[in-house]
Amino acid sequence: MSTQITPETVAAHGITPDEYKLILDIMGREPNITELGIFSVMWSEHCSYKSSKKWLKTLPTEAPWVICGPGENAGVIDIGDGQAVIFKMESHNHPSFIEPYQGAATGVGGILRDVFTMGARPIANMNALRFGEPKHPKTRHLVAGVVAGIGGYGNCVGVPTVGGETNFHPSYNGNILVNAMTVGLADKDRIFYSAAAGVGNPVVYVGSKTGRDGIHGATMASAEFDEKSEEKRPTVQVGDPFTEKLLIEACLELMATDVIVAIQDMGAAGLTSSSFEMASKGGLGVDLDLDLVPMREQGMSAYEIMLSESQERMLMILKPGKEDVARAIFEKWELDFAIIGRLTDTGRMVLKRHGAVVADLPIDPLAQASPEYDRPWVTPEKRPVVDSASIADHDPIDALKTLIACPDLASKRWIWEQYDHMVLCDTAQRPGGDAAVVRVHGTKKAIAITTDVTPRYCLADPYEGGRQAVAEAYRNLSAVGALPLAVTDNLNFGNPQKPEIMGQIVEAIRGMGQACRELDFPVVSGNVSLYNETQGTAILPTPTIGGVGLLADVGTMATLAFKAAGHSIVLLGETKGWLGASLYLREVCGREDGAPPPVMLHRERRAGELVRRLIGDGQVAACHDVSDGGVLVAVAEMAIASDRLIGATLDAPHTVALTAWCFGEDQGRYVLEVGDDDLAMVLEAAAEHDVAARVIGRTGGPAIGVGGQAVAVEELKARNEGWLPAFMGGEIAQH
């Protein structure tokens, strides 16, 4: 309380001089150190979205099946039969770079709480990971720690980790990305929200005790890294998945009663954000006695208590007279339960410690009136289309061998085998496919889940890259037969105070919004992670999309593995051989240039509708969308996934150069395995939907053949599955 507020103190809290002037206007006086700390976290980029909310408001968020869009802990969609799916994705990027195990683990814990705080039982976790180049000296350490943290937390808490994506690129050398997604299931009429109500109602703290871990985590996540980033380890939280499991069960048991008025998890900014947001949404005030907060460390100040980001904690408002009902449940689960305050009608947050008022703040200016910046931005310069004559031709089979074993396309089995992806016994499609599929327990319905983005496209053209990320998620859900319903997003970018970075943000959001509108694929939740830079070097723009879809009957689900020899291979969608910004260009030719492939959203929609119809009618034996690496890679992945390593012989058309046909990344395409009895109907249906369709080969034999050359599927599988274990085992030189 006696700490002098100097310009240096203000700057150390991430507050600009103009923001401090606004604080003085709001307070009518100089804040004390506790109040300054509260402003700091509430107005941090991580909590307030002050650089991005102007643009986030342009995203489509409504549809007949959307129950709750952005603004709550997670998004909620109706899946029929009185059931709802609740889901969200969030980042834990900076903490995971500083302390990879705990950073990733607590990222999982935080996103789980966002979902079960709304009344859902978590049924699946996903993650989207981005690491630096494999030869960087820290990459192997970071991969090992992050994967162990995700697996350690998810496995212990008993929620399956069913899929995700992992890429490598030098731009992430100093700033990795760990985006975690959770999907939960709830009864449609038992959704819980966070708006406080009822003057005099008790404010109740439950879960773990408060410690000094994670203080200023939100502020740390809202700043660039520098050479002293390692010193920020104390701002990384420490997780306990066993306590989280108890907290899930206790909360869900309490939710089965009729005693909760509002509930909120304590995530970024801990007790500060949860209390302010609940009171603000309800238009109320709150008095808290910090002496009553369960603490695990001696001598904690009000500043430390309010800013701690200790894990596995929740805040709730209970109906008066129901405290003992709730207390009994939490004590049964051996969790802390404490009444720490009451709601008031003052519109102010009043904090007491040791009997004295240590902070007195107006709530709405902190929770609602945080700065909103229209930062200067410039439209990113678009790369020119690659001149096809400048691209060297390589033997397609040699190029396939290179691509199938490159870090981005290599099998991530080493990762997902460390995750319990079968716990709860409802995982219908394991990791490795186009989308994960999880049965809705006790029904024939299933939820399909995917995470997608192609950062190299977003760098080349953020607008087109944003459109493609949404289209790719739509395509992956369609490829398993699921109707795409809604998305969550995690927008990972560099420093928004640089006009070129802000331009990436604006254009990517614009592209995402257009794709979501045209595909009826609304955004219902999300997260923004900015300042992903180290010593001025930004990551690739990475607007990760988490997509959720519904299978009416899990029995109709498609997988990508070839099922039998002698079937036709059908390519849906137009192929022009687009090699700009492709993996072929990067991995085989050593070039990272060119415009990305254009996305034709009307064609994406038609192709998706066709594929879902064909899968639902049982006319497709296998289905795989065409993405990184093009057609030849897609076919190879289908062969590698087959139990008997069924090969294929392809007949490339003469209208497109062989290299471009094999490895071009034209959008809106699928590869189908179709039996002879269904082939005519499939081609006829494609014509009806105005979707280009062509038979490009036959399944069978032990090899993949094209252009008169062939390679054994067994060799491709060994290359594909061998890279990551060899890298993590230290068998690949790091230099």
Side-chain angles (χ1 to χ4, degrees):
M1 287 292 293
S2 60
T3 301
Q4 185 178 1
I5 306 301
T6 66
E8 291 75 22
T9 307
V10 173
H13 282 74
I15 295 171
T16 68
D18 285 343
E19 289 171 349
Y20 189 63
K21 289 178 183 176
L22 181 57
I23 290 172
L24 294 177
D25 289 343
I26 290 170
M27 296 289 290
R29 60 175 171 82
E30 186 177 84
N32 62 43
I33 189 64
T34 300
E35 293 165 338
L36 183 70
I38 289 171
F39 271 100
S40 169
V41 293
M42 289 298 291
W43 286 10
S44 68
E45 195 77 59
H46 192 76
C47 291
S48 73
Y49 297 168
K50 56 190 175 186
S51 296
S52 58
K53 56 187 174 184
K54 167 184 170 68
W55 304 102
L56 295 175
K57 293 173 185 176
T58 67
L59 292 170
T61 60
E62 297 179 349
W65 52 90
V66 173
I67 296 173
C68 177
E72 272 293 340
N73 287 288
V76 187
I77 57 173
D78 190 340
I79 61 166
D81 306 309
Q83 295 176 311
V85 162
I86 299 177
F87 64 101
K88 189 182 181 184
M89 181 187 293
E90 278 209 344
S91 61
H92 234 220
N93 302 334
H94 284 43
S96 298
F97 182 81
I98 295 170
E99 192 358 270
Y101 184 95
Q102 291 296 347
T106 52
V108 174
I111 196 62
L112 282 165
R113 288 193 298 280
D114 277 341
V115 167
F116 75 74
T117 192
M118 296 194 69
R121 177 170 291 280
I123 60 171
N125 287 333
M126 297 277 283
N127 54 75
L129 312 177
R130 301 291 188 293
F131 297 103
E133 58 191 329
K135 68 181 181 181
H136 190 276
K138 289 197 70 168
T139 298
R140 192 151 57 99
H141 160 72
L142 291 168
V143 172
V146 166
V147 171
I150 291 169
Y153 205 100
N155 296 352
C156 291
V157 84
V159 178
T161 302
V162 294
E165 55 180 344
T166 304
N167 294 142
F168 299 83
H169 190 273
S171 74
Y172 305 107
N173 281 347
N175 200 126
I176 65 173
L177 302 184
V178 176
N179 296 170
M181 178 177 174
T182 293
V183 178
L185 185 68
D187 290 335
K188 181 181 172 181
D189 61 353
R190 297 293 292 170
I191 308 298
F192 290 80
Y193 298 98
S194 58
V199 173
N201 281 352
V203 179
V204 177
Y205 170 120
V206 300
S208 289
K209 289 180 168 60
T210 294
R212 290 188 170 94
D213 54 321
I215 293 173
H216 272 302
T219 307
M220 182 266 290
S222 305
E224 287 187 34
F225 275 165
D226 55 29
E227 68 278 1
K228 296 181 179 180
S229 63
E230 295 290 343
E231 298 173 8
K232 297 179 180 179
R233 186 168 280 108
T235 62
V236 178
Q237 309 93 324
V238 178
D240 180 355
F242 298 105
T243 299
E244 181 102 340
K245 174 62 173 173
L246 300 178
L247 190 60
I248 291 172
E249 300 304 329
C251 286
L252 292 178
E253 182 176 336
L254 185 63
M255 287 167 173
T257 69
D258 190 30
V259 307
I260 297 176
V261 175
I263 183 168
Q264 172 86 26
D265 81 294
M266 292 192 218
L271 184 54
T272 290
S273 63
S274 55
S275 56
F276 270 88
E277 288 171 10
M278 293 177 81
S280 178
K281 288 177 182 177
L284 297 173
V286 62
D287 288 353
L288 298 181
D289 185 344
L290 301 185
D291 296 346
L292 302 176
V293 172
M295 286 172 264
R296 65 168 182 262
E297 298 185 46
Q298 296 293 319
M300 290 188 70
S301 67
Y303 180 100
E304 292 172 322
I305 295 168
M306 291 303 292
L307 271 61
S308 168
E309 293 184 9
S310 294
Q311 296 292 285
E312 294 86 40
R313 302 180 301 159
M314 310 285 281
L315 198 66
M316 55 182 68
I317 310 299
L318 299 182
K319 292 182 178 179
K322 301 293 185 179
E323 296 91 336
D324 288 344
V325 174
R327 187 190 304 275
I329 290 173
F330 281 90
E331 288 181 351
K332 182 186 78 171
W333 289 101
E334 299 182 347
L335 294 167
D336 277 291
F337 177 97
I339 300 170
I340 63 170
R342 299 280 170 180
L343 295 179
T344 70
D345 60 1
T346 64
R348 300 187 69 83
M349 171 74 70
V350 179
L351 306 178
K352 290 184 179 179
R353 180 75 165 130
H354 303 313
V357 173
V358 293
D360 186 345
L361 296 154
I363 286 174
D364 281 350
L366 275 102
Q368 293 182 8
S370 61
E372 177 177 327
Y373 294 127
D374 185 2
R375 295 199 185 276
W377 61 281
V378 294
T379 302
E381 186 175 343
K382 295 182 179 181
R383 291 180 181 171
V385 175
V386 170
D387 179 3
S388 58
S390 73
I391 301 175
D393 278 327
H394 291 79
D395 179 274
I397 295 301
D398 288 343
L400 175 61
K401 291 178 184 180
T402 297
L403 284 168
I404 209 71
C406 76
D408 279 6
L409 290 181
S411 169
K412 304 308 184 291
R413 180 183 294 273
W414 182 90
I415 293 176
W416 57 257
E417 282 190 340
Q418 297 184 54
Y419 304 154
D420 188 340
H421 49 273
M422 296 302 291
V423 66
L424 301 180
C425 301
D426 280 318
T427 304
Q429 185 159 165
R430 301 185 183 195
D434 285 317
V437 180
V438 179
R439 277 182 292 266
V440 176
H441 193 75
T443 75
K444 66 178 183 179
K445 295 186 298 189
I447 304 301
I449 316 162
T450 187
T451 62
D452 296 286
V453 66
T454 308
R456 64 181 187 278
Y457 291 174
C458 296
L459 180 66
D461 184 340
Y463 171 71
E464 207 63 57
R467 283 158 46 96
Q468 191 273 341
V470 173
E472 174 77 2
Y474 182 89
R475 208 180 306 140
N476 279 342
L477 297 173
S478 296
V480 299
L483 174 65
L485 291 178
V487 306
T488 183
D489 60 55
N490 204 143
L491 307 181
N492 308 275
F493 292 89
N495 184 343
Q497 295 177 54
K498 297 178 179 179
E500 64 274 19
I501 299 296
M502 196 64 221
Q504 292 176 349
I505 297 168
V506 172
E507 287 293 280
I509 291 174
R510 191 168 70 88
M512 289 165 49
Q514 187 191 26
C516 288
R517 274 185 287 272
E518 294 200 28
L519 297 174
D520 279 344
F521 206 21
V523 179
V524 297
S525 60
N527 173 248
V528 176
S529 175
L530 306 182
Y531 296 95
N532 288 291
E533 295 200 9
T534 299
Q535 295 181 305
T537 300
I539 62 165
L540 296 182
T542 311
T544 310
I545 300 295
V548 171
L550 178 66
L551 274 155
D553 183 353
V554 70
T556 66
M557 175 189 73
T559 64
L560 60 79
F562 283 147
K563 304 300 186 298
H567 282 176
S568 292
I569 301 172
V570 177
L571 177 62
L572 295 182
E574 292 189 358
T575 298
K576 296 182 178 179
W578 193 284
L579 287 170
S582 67
L583 273 189
Y584 174 85
L585 213 58
R586 191 181 83 188
E587 299 293 334
V588 179
C589 302
R591 297 170 51 178
E592 292 192 61
D593 63 329
V599 179
M600 304 298 182
L601 293 169
H602 61 291
R603 292 179 182 171
E604 288 281 1
R605 182 163 187 152
R606 287 203 303 263
E609 290 170 349
L610 170 64
V611 165
R612 296 194 298 272
R613 172 186 151 182
L614 295 175
I615 292 171
D617 290 345
Q619 296 175 320
V620 173
C623 179
H624 188 21
D625 85 303
V626 181
S627 55
D628 288 346
V631 170
L632 191 55
V633 165
V635 171
E637 289 172 338
M638 297 173 83
I640 291 169
S642 64
D643 291 338
R644 291 174 288 151
L645 300 183
I646 298 167
T649 301
L650 301 182
D651 178 20
H654 299 296
T655 53
V656 179
L658 182 60
T659 295
W661 184 82
C662 288
F663 304 112
E665 296 181 5
D666 306 78
Q667 297 295 291
R669 297 183 299 163
Y670 301 80
V671 175
L672 310 179
E673 176 192 357
V674 181
D676 289 344
D677 291 344
D678 293 310
L679 182 59
M681 289 183 286
V682 167
L683 296 177
E684 183 180 336
E688 290 174 1
H689 280 74
D690 193 21
V691 175
R694 183 181 185 276
V695 177
I696 61 169
R698 301 278 286 181
T699 60
I704 300 291
V706 66
Q709 303 293 319
V711 58
V713 178
E714 188 172 4
E715 179 183 344
L716 292 176
K717 182 173 183 177
R719 287 175 175 271
N720 182 247
E721 296 194 348
W723 181 83
L724 189 52
F727 170 63
M728 295 306 298
E731 299 168 31
I732 296 175
Q734 291 178 290
H735 57 76

